[in-house]
Amino acid sequence: MASPGLLTAQSVRIKQARRLATRAFRRKTGRFLVEGPQAVREALEHRMRVVEVYAEPDVATRHRDLRDLATVADVPWFEVNRAAIEALSETVTSQGVVAVCSLVDVPLDEAVRRTASLVAVGVQVRDPGNVGTLIRTADAAGADAVVLSGESVDPHNPKAVRASVGSLFHLPISLDADIPAAAKAWRDQGIQVLAADGYGSFDLDECIEDGTLAKPTVWLFGNEAHGLPDGYDAIVDRSVKVPIYGRAESLNLATAAAVCLYASARAQRINEPR
């Protein structure tokens, strides 16, 4: 039996929030779910994004800072029973707290400004874990923004949100971008566009040594199975392969993105005026 005052899985609020697991309802309402104390903490620190929080009663004790952040931000805090939190959770064992937040995406020209030095672009990336990891990696590497093509998975997908571990609140994210048109605009602005490609004409080591990576750069990362679409060689400055020194056949998308973004970040920092 539910304790008095606790919302249950049958509560109207919980049923509505559950529908945010679908992309169509997220787009209709402009909201998405953020699960777990670390991700909710990141969300609450960007208070304009958080609509409400649902938590089991002991969360306010175990994670007192979350309750304090919600209070300061004047965010409604609803206590729920275990069945309700499990209804909102995508994980096997819920950590007891879920926030409803406003979508984080912004227009492309707002995400990638003329002063951008490092941007990560996902093209037709279909795995939500890869999208979340790309956002997290771009954040860690100090990138200015993440851009996703219209065929890519929604970064507000619960699995993508978990994989980003709160990083989707740290840097601008733009969705549904027309990448060929955007690439032309970026190149016209003086930002080079590099494609990560296992069969690229240039080696990442060459690009480090010849100073290419010290320049403002947009990196394109393609689909997990097929890479970048045909014809993309014509819209980029260079197609770059990550050298394989051992016997592995290739690197997965997330790993290749981490190598390329960190190579650019390091090259740019080494060449910063002192």
Side-chain angles (χ1 to χ4, degrees):
M1 180 179 295
S3 301
L6 296 186
L7 296 183
T8 72
Q10 302 308 313
S11 301
V12 173
R13 281 185 174 276
I14 300 300
K15 288 182 177 180
Q16 285 292 98
R18 283 180 65 182
R19 297 179 65 189
L20 294 172
T22 66
R23 186 169 191 166
F25 197 65
R26 289 194 295 269
R27 290 199 168 192
K28 178 181 178 180
T29 60
R31 297 177 178 181
F32 73 112
L33 296 177
V34 174
E35 181 182 348
Q38 179 58 34
V40 171
R41 183 176 294 108
E42 297 288 350
L44 285 168
E45 289 179 352
H46 297 75
R47 62 185 67 179
M48 297 301 292
R49 292 288 182 189
V50 188
V51 177
E52 57 202 16
V53 176
Y54 296 99
E56 291 186 282
D58 67 337
V59 168
T61 302
R62 289 188 292 113
H63 302 286
R64 186 177 298 277
D65 65 314
L66 296 184
R67 190 69 177 91
D68 292 342
L69 284 168
T71 299
V72 170
D74 199 26
V75 171
W77 181 285
F78 298 98
E79 292 194 335
V80 302
N81 67 9
R82 188 63 183 174
I85 207 70
E86 287 179 347
L88 297 176
S89 175
E90 292 280 324
T91 58
V92 175
T93 303
S94 173
Q95 294 178 283
V97 59
V98 174
V100 175
C101 299
S102 300
L103 300 182
V104 301
D105 56 301
V106 299
L108 183 60
D109 57 356
E110 183 180 329
V112 184
R113 299 187 182 277
R114 291 178 176 273
T115 55
S117 59
L118 183 59
V119 177
V121 178
V123 181
Q124 299 180 7
V125 181
R126 303 293 170 79
D127 182 85
N130 280 336
V131 165
T133 302
L134 178 61
I135 293 169
R136 184 182 184 184
T137 301
D139 180 22
D144 296 289
V146 172
V147 176
L148 296 171
S149 70
E151 306 86 353
S152 293
V153 72
D154 182 9
H156 303 101
N157 174 293
K159 292 181 180 178
V161 174
R162 286 201 306 278
S164 80
V165 198
S167 284
L168 80 170
F169 294 108
H170 294 168
L171 72 175
I173 299 172
S174 187
L175 310 184
D176 301 328
D178 178 340
I179 303 305
K184 181 181 185 305
W186 293 328
R187 294 172 74 185
D188 289 346
Q189 293 170 17
I191 305 174
Q192 69 178 348
V193 179
L194 303 181
D197 182 348
Y199 301 97
S201 302
F202 292 86
D203 186 289
L204 186 66
D205 286 345
E206 294 178 62
C207 295
I208 294 171
E209 292 168 2
D210 68 13
T212 296
L213 295 193
K215 304 172 186 175
T217 301
V218 170
W219 275 104
L220 305 187
F221 304 102
N223 176 268
E224 294 86 349
H226 308 295
L228 291 166
D230 292 340
Y232 264 56
D233 279 353
I235 70 168
V236 302
D237 294 285
R238 288 188 178 187
S239 290
V240 182
K241 61 186 176 184
V242 176
I244 303 292
Y245 303 123
R247 298 172 60 186
E249 184 271 332
S250 64
L251 296 174
N252 66 22
L253 184 155
T255 303
V259 172
C260 293
L261 290 171
Y262 266 89
S264 282
R266 176 168 173 74
Q268 291 176 4
R269 279 158 177 71
I270 288 174
N271 286 275
E272 283 181 348
R274 296 182 181 278

